[in-house]
Amino acid sequence: MSIEIALAAPHPSALDAAADVVAAGGGVVDAALAAAAALTVAYPHQCSAGGDLIALVRTPDDRIRAVLSVGAAAAGVDVAALRAADRMPPGGPLTVTVPGVVAGWAALADLGGRLPLARVLAPAVELAAGGVPVSPGLAAAILRRLDVVRADPGLAALLLDGDGTPLPAGAVLRQPALARTLGTIGADWRDYYQGELAEALAAGLAALGSPLTTADLAGHAAEITDPLRYAAAGSEVTWSVAPPPSQGATLLAMLASAGRTAAGDPAAGGATSARPADAAAALATARTAEQRRDTLLGDPRIGPVDLDGLLLRTDPPAGPLPPPGPKPAGDTVAVTAVGNDGTTVTLIQSVFQTFGAGICEPGTGLVLHNRGSVFSLDPAHPGRLRPGARPPHTLCPAIATGPDRVVALGCQGGRAQPWILAQVAADALTTADPAGLLARPRWVIGARDVGQDRPSLLLEPDTPATDALRAAATDLNLRVVQLPQRHDDAGHVQLARLTPAGLDAASDPRADGAARVLRGH
C-alpha cells in the first residue's frame, strides 16, 4: 500500500526534509521527526535540540500516547540563593533545565518510526552543514533580540556577520558545529545524555555558571503516558491533550466551556463564534482558565496537581491561592502529520523565549532553552523550583478523533496556546478551507508574554464580535490593545487531518511555513 501523509510546519525546509525521508521509505513518525529536526536548523530562535518536546502519537487502532520529554532542574540548583533574588531570571545559565528534545525524538521513533534515526536526521545534518537561507521570521527575531544575540559569543558568531551586522533575510546561515552534533545524535542519541556530547554540553554550561551536570543529563528520560481526553455531551469527537506539566488541561477547559454552550444552543460556536454572547463567554473562560493555570500547574512527579481545578470542574479551593509564577514570552514550533492509515503525530518543540536562555554553546552549536524561568519561587506554589522538578509547560499539542476523521493541531503561541487553538478547534473538524480557517483574525490574552505591562486583550483587525470582546475585557479588568495587522502573538497554528474528503493540511500565514501531502511507498 502506498503511503500518503498530510504535513504542516512553519518553515519550507521542514517539508523538504519530510519529503526526503518519505521517499526513502519513511512513515508518518519519520516525516514528523525529519521536519522537527530541520526546524532546529532553520528556526534557531524558536526551537533547538537544546530545548524540550511534547507530542501526541495516534496509531491506526485509535490508541493515542502522549510523549513528554520535559527536562528537570539541576539536582544542585541553589533554591535559597534564587529565592533571595526574589524572582527567577528571565534568561541566562540559571534558567537552563535539562533539554528534552533528543530523548523525545527517540521516544517518538520507538512509537512508529520505520527508518534509522540517522537517516531521519540526515536532511537536517545536510541543511546545517550546507546552509539555509535566513527566513523573514528569523531575521526579525535577530533584530528584536539583538542585545541578547550580541551579549552571547555563540549567538553572535552564529547570527552576526564579521562586522557585527545582523544576518538579513536571505543570507545563508551555516552551522557546522550543529551539523556534527546532529550527526552524533543520529548515530547514537544516547550520546547526548551519557556520552561525549553530554560532557561537552555540561562543561560549556558550567563555564557560564549553570549547575547542570552530566549526572543531570544522564538522569533524563522521556515520559510516555496516556493523554487527557474530553468529548462534549452527545458528540462523537474526542479531543486528546498532554497531561501536566503541560497546560493541555487548560485547552480542554476552553473546549468544555464551548461544548456546554453548544449543547444548550446548537448554533453557538464558543471561542470561534461571531455571536456577542458566545465570544464574551469564551473570553471570560479564558481569563479564568489562565488564572487557574498560573496558580495550579506543576509537576505531578514532585507533588499533587489539582487537575479538576485546571479543568474548571471545581470551584477554587478555600483560602488564597499561591501567587502566579513569572510570565515570560514563549517561542515554539509545531509540526502536524496525518497518514492515510490514520497514523497521526502532533509535536511541539521549543526553546521557550526567543533564542531561549540567550546561550548558544559554541562547541555543540546548541541554542539552550530557558524553561527554568517559569518556576515559581513561592514555597507554596505547585510549580515552585525544586531540584529535579520539571517546570510548568506551555506546549499544548492536540488531536481530535471521530468515527470518520482525525485532526492534528499544534501552535506557536507560548502561554496563549489554549485560547489560540480553541478559536480554530471546532471548525478544524469540518471546514472545507483549512488555510482560510488559519488566516482568520484571532484574539489572545496575556501580559508580559504578549509584550504588555498589565493583563491585556489583543485583537487582530476584524476579529469577530469585537465590540462584545471589548466590553467583556473591561469587565474582566483587561486592557484592550488593537493590533494593526495579523501578529505573531496570535499564534502560528499548524493543522493536518484525514476526513471523508481525504487528506489535507494548512500552515498559519503568520509564520514562514507550508503544508503539503507527501507520497511514498
Side-chain angles (χ1 to χ4, degrees), residues 362-378:
T364 59
L366 293 168
V367 176
L368 279 307
H369 63 176
N370 64 326
R371 280 288 163 186
S373 63
V374 300
F375 279 120
S376 172
L377 295 177
D378 186 319

Side-chain angles (χ1 to χ4, degrees), residues 304-497:
V305 172
D306 182 359
L307 186 57
D308 283 338
L310 289 168
L311 291 166
L312 306 187
R313 292 172 177 166
T314 59
D315 292 330
L321 289 167
K327 304 174 183 178
D331 249 322
T332 300
V333 297
V335 175
T336 56
V338 180
N340 54 348
D341 66 350
T343 301
T344 302
V345 176
T346 172
L347 71 84
I348 306 181
Q349 58 189 18
S350 166
V351 290
F352 197 38
Q353 197 169 11
T354 303
F355 296 116
I359 297 170
C360 176
E361 202 289 304
T364 59
L366 293 168
V367 176
L368 279 307
H369 63 176
N370 64 326
R371 280 288 163 186
S373 63
V374 300
F375 279 120
S376 172
L377 295 177
D378 186 319
H381 196 286
R384 65 189 177 275
L385 176 65
R386 286 163 285 183
R390 298 175 296 177
H393 234 277
T394 57
L395 304 189
C396 188
I399 292 177
T401 54
D404 59 356
R405 69 195 61 230
V406 57
V407 178
L409 283 176
C411 76
Q412 173 265 13
R415 300 170 68 256
Q417 289 177 40
W419 22 103
I420 292 169
L421 293 176
Q423 290 173 77
V424 302
D427 288 344
L429 296 166
T430 58
T431 181
D433 180 16
L437 170 64
L438 301 193
R440 289 181 192 172
R442 298 193 285 261
W443 56 265
V444 294
I445 58 172
R448 286 198 309 116
D449 52 311
V450 291
Q452 305 299 315
D453 60 3
R454 54 169 286 192
S456 301
L457 166 69
L458 277 59
L459 295 165
E460 290 190 315
D462 301 318
T463 299
T466 292
D467 290 343
L469 288 166
R470 286 177 174 272
T474 299
D475 293 341
L476 295 166
N477 198 29
L478 294 170
R479 177 172 56 194
V480 177
V481 178
Q482 181 64 59
L483 298 170
Q485 57 193 13
R486 281 192 304 221
H487 197 278
D488 283 348
D489 285 337
H492 299 167
V493 180
Q494 312 300 328
L495 181 158
R497 62 185 188 165

Side-chain angles (χ1 to χ4, degrees), residues 166-259:
L167 294 180
V172 177
L173 175 65
R174 292 184 175 86
Q175 301 172 76
L178 180 59
R180 292 190 296 272
T181 293
L182 291 172
T184 300
I185 292 168
D188 183 359
W189 68 269
R190 295 171 185 81
D191 194 273
Y192 190 99
Y193 296 99
Q194 301 177 26
E196 292 183 3
L197 270 180
E199 293 172 2
L201 182 56
L205 285 170
L208 296 172
S210 168
L212 276 180
T213 66
T214 53
D216 294 315
L217 293 168
H220 178 74
E223 178 185 2
I224 301 175
T225 188
D226 292 328
L228 303 178
R229 296 176 183 265
Y230 162 74
S235 173
E236 293 184 294
V237 174
T238 298
W239 285 92
S240 298
V241 299
S246 162
Q247 65 168 337
T250 303
L251 172 58
L252 293 192
M254 292 288 299
L255 297 177
S257 176

Side-chain angles (χ1 to χ4, degrees), residues 129-157:
V132 58
V134 172
S135 69
L138 174 55
I142 297 170
L143 293 176
R144 190 168 62 248
R145 298 275 285 168
L146 191 54
D147 56 338
V148 171
V149 171
R150 284 180 168 156
D152 179 66
L155 287 175

Side-chain angles (χ1 to χ4, degrees), residues 16-315:
D16 294 340
D20 179 86
V21 302
V22 171
V28 175
V29 172
D30 304 296
L33 286 175
L39 289 168
T40 67
V41 179
Y43 253 35
H45 57 305
Q46 293 194 339
C47 69
S48 165
D52 275 349
L53 178 147
I54 294 178
L56 299 174
V57 180
R58 177 189 185 267
T59 51
D61 62 359
D62 199 31
R63 188 182 190 200
I64 297 177
R65 301 294 281 162
V67 176
L68 295 96
S69 201
V70 175
V77 65
D78 190 338
V79 178
L82 285 164
R83 193 169 288 152
D86 191 45
R87 58 163 293 174
M88 286 295 297
L94 297 180
T95 67
V96 182
T97 48
V98 173
V101 159
V102 172
W105 288 348
L108 284 168
D110 287 343
L111 289 173
R114 296 182 178 182
L115 300 177
L117 191 58
R119 180 62 186 89
V120 173
L121 300 189
V125 173
E126 182 178 347
L127 198 66
V132 58
V134 172
S135 69
L138 174 55
I142 297 170
L143 293 176
R144 190 168 62 248
R145 298 275 285 168
L146 191 54
D147 56 338
V148 171
V149 171
R150 284 180 168 156
D152 179 66
L155 287 175
L158 182 66
L159 301 169
L160 307 178
D161 66 18
D163 63 1
T165 302
L167 294 180
V172 177
L173 175 65
R174 292 184 175 86
Q175 301 172 76
L178 180 59
R180 292 190 296 272
T181 293
L182 291 172
T184 300
I185 292 168
D188 183 359
W189 68 269
R190 295 171 185 81
D191 194 273
Y192 190 99
Y193 296 99
Q194 301 177 26
E196 292 183 3
L197 270 180
E199 293 172 2
L201 182 56
L205 285 170
L208 296 172
S210 168
L212 276 180
T213 66
T214 53
D216 294 315
L217 293 168
H220 178 74
E223 178 185 2
I224 301 175
T225 188
D226 292 328
L228 303 178
R229 296 176 183 265
Y230 162 74
S235 173
E236 293 184 294
V237 174
T238 298
W239 285 92
S240 298
V241 299
S246 162
Q247 65 168 337
T250 303
L251 172 58
L252 293 192
M254 292 288 299
L255 297 177
S257 176
R260 288 190 293 271
T261 302
D265 181 351
T272 65
S273 178
R275 297 187 352 162
D278 299 339
L283 179 60
T285 299
R287 183 62 172 147
T288 301
E290 177 190 41
Q291 292 168 330
R292 293 284 189 92
R293 177 203 59 200
D294 289 351
T295 54
L296 298 178
L297 186 58
D299 183 358
R301 287 182 172 179
I302 300 296
V305 172
D306 182 359
L307 186 57
D308 283 338
L310 289 168
L311 291 166
L312 306 187
R313 292 172 177 166
T314 59
D315 292 330

